[in-house]
Amino acid sequence: LSQGKEAQGDLKYKVTRGKFQYIFANAENKAAFEKEPARYEIQLDGACARMGAPTTGNPDLYFVHNGRIYIFGSEECQTLFKAAPEKYLEVPPAPKSPPTEEMVKRGQELLAKAVEAFGGGSKLDQLVSFQKTDLRGNQVKNILTLAFPDSLRQESVRPNFTLVSVITPSDAFVMVNNGARPMPEGNRAAIYKELYHELVVLFRARTRSDFKVSASGNESIDVELPGFTSTLSIDAGSGRVVSQTYKGRGPGGVLGQIVINYSDYRTLDGLSLPFKTTATFDGEPFAPLSATIETIKINGQIDPSSFKKPAE
């Protein structure tokens, strides 16, 4: 496939890597793959190259771009990607100079100010559960349930179906209209990455050894975790987070700049939380991330069965 065409494989020459089994026409091709598997394997851990994780791809729908094999969730995704791959592929950021000690120190000061305005580190670190229901601008209701430190349930309620994702230390699965299937590891990683955009989760991660912060302006900080980068703008007076800026997928899976603006802060059980978000994608209104919160529960009771697969 790296040549852009298919040749019949022989089961004598096969390699299992990740969730795929690769079959080769001869021993030479197998050896070449084993020498550089990251180059020849299906890219993006099998996610749709147009939509990204957690949307999975179908190996029958493939395209070779710059010698790399990408797969897609639908023929439409394949067609659109072929026309303009650069719109959908994440390009590694250009190396930049590491932050100075002064930038790191200032970043830590601003982060501490934002955490204090949010309700304080001790309050955040002692959270047992966090439940939030919001209505998005695209009329999708989202219900997020977090049982700290390591269990979550996400529900996206749409007019014709409900998608539920559940992750616990022992299991990870997806349910559509009560039918459950295992969650691929790539999808799990994608959900956790997106979850860091929740300020509660991001601030709780500040004590991790791989959490990095530095000042990127007078009142803004760059925050980094493995696979995650975001910039927070902080109000000089109150310390509240005004906005969050990062690179993400917008309409049709196109990559661009997402800005989430926070407003309508309310104090609930000692935490100061934004009850409204207004998002833009490359400067245009972005309804899927614009939301009005309907309810928030801090340390509320959670039914343990909500993290279990339904009976067959």
Side-chain angles (χ1 to χ4, degrees):
L1 287 179
S2 65
Q3 303 291 323
K5 59 185 179 181
E6 291 181 274
Q8 182 62 46
D10 189 327
L11 284 171
K12 290 190 300 183
Y13 310 110
K14 64 181 178 180
V15 172
T16 298
R17 182 170 167 85
K19 57 188 173 185
F20 295 107
Q21 184 179 82
Y22 298 87
I23 303 173
F24 305 91
N26 52 54
E28 290 76 19
N29 284 357
K30 178 175 178 287
F33 179 92
E34 292 178 313
K35 186 177 180 180
E36 296 183 87
R39 173 183 173 186
Y40 294 115
E41 69 182 348
I42 290 173
Q43 301 295 297
L44 307 177
D45 195 33
C48 174
R50 176 199 171 200
M51 301 304 294
T55 304
T56 55
N58 177 356
D60 289 334
L61 298 172
Y62 74 90
F63 179 64
V64 178
H65 174 64
N66 288 342
R68 312 265 173 162
I69 304 167
Y70 298 92
I71 62 176
F72 306 90
S74 68
E75 291 183 0
E76 180 187 19
C77 287
Q78 183 189 42
T79 300
L80 290 170
F81 182 93
K82 283 182 178 181
E86 67 282 352
K87 290 171 61 176
Y88 305 102
L89 288 178
E90 291 193 52
V91 178
K96 60 180 182 180
S97 302
T100 63
E101 289 186 15
E102 185 177 341
M103 291 168 66
V104 171
K105 181 181 178 182
R106 178 57 179 161
Q108 292 171 339
E109 291 172 350
L110 287 171
L111 175 65
K113 183 176 182 179
V115 169
E116 188 62 31
F118 207 74
S122 60
K123 181 70 176 179
L124 279 165
D125 297 339
Q126 292 171 17
L127 282 177
V128 175
S129 68
F130 180 81
Q131 298 163 274
K132 182 180 76 170
T133 299
D134 63 50
L135 183 63
R136 303 294 171 99
N138 56 356
Q139 300 306 303
V140 174
K141 178 174 284 191
N142 269 280
I143 305 168
L144 174 65
T145 302
L146 300 172
F148 297 111
D150 48 20
S151 295
L152 73 86
R153 177 186 174 99
Q154 281 187 333
E155 298 179 54
S156 293
V157 183
R158 301 170 184 270
N160 54 344
F161 74 96
T162 297
L163 175 66
V164 181
S165 300
V166 177
I167 300 176
T168 70
S170 60
D171 204 359
F173 57 92
V174 177
M175 294 188 294
V176 179
N177 294 337
N178 292 322
R181 57 182 172 81
M183 181 186 297
E185 181 57 37
N187 294 29
R188 181 173 180 156
I191 288 175
Y192 271 124
K193 179 181 176 180
E194 285 303 310
L195 195 60
Y196 286 131
H197 293 299
E198 286 283 345
L199 295 178
V200 167
V201 178
L202 184 61
F203 286 158
R204 277 177 56 90
R206 75 196 185 285
T207 57
R208 287 176 37 170
S209 60
D210 53 4
F211 184 98
K212 298 179 181 178
V213 61
S214 60
S216 57
N218 289 336
E219 300 296 330
S220 63
I221 55 176
D222 288 337
V223 176
E224 294 183 33
L225 284 159
F228 174 90
T229 303
S230 191
T231 299
L232 303 181
S233 294
I234 298 166
D235 180 74
S238 66
R240 288 175 173 170
V241 176
V242 177
S243 66
Q244 179 173 184
T245 303
Y246 60 96
K247 188 174 183 180
R249 293 189 183 274
V254 175
L255 288 166
Q257 186 185 69
I258 293 174
V259 179
I260 300 178
N261 298 290
Y262 300 99
S263 61
D264 191 16
Y265 273 85
R266 306 179 194 177
T267 300
L268 185 65
D269 290 343
L271 291 179
S272 180
L273 305 167
F275 271 65
K276 186 174 182 179
T277 60
T278 307
T280 61
F281 176 81
D282 283 348
E284 297 295 325
F286 190 38
L289 292 182
S290 298
T292 300
I293 291 178
E294 295 183 344
T295 62
I296 291 180
K297 291 183 181 179
I298 305 295
N299 295 334
Q301 190 69 31
I302 297 176
D303 184 353
S305 65
S306 63
F307 296 114
K308 295 180 180 179
K309 284 182 182 176
E312 292 294 338

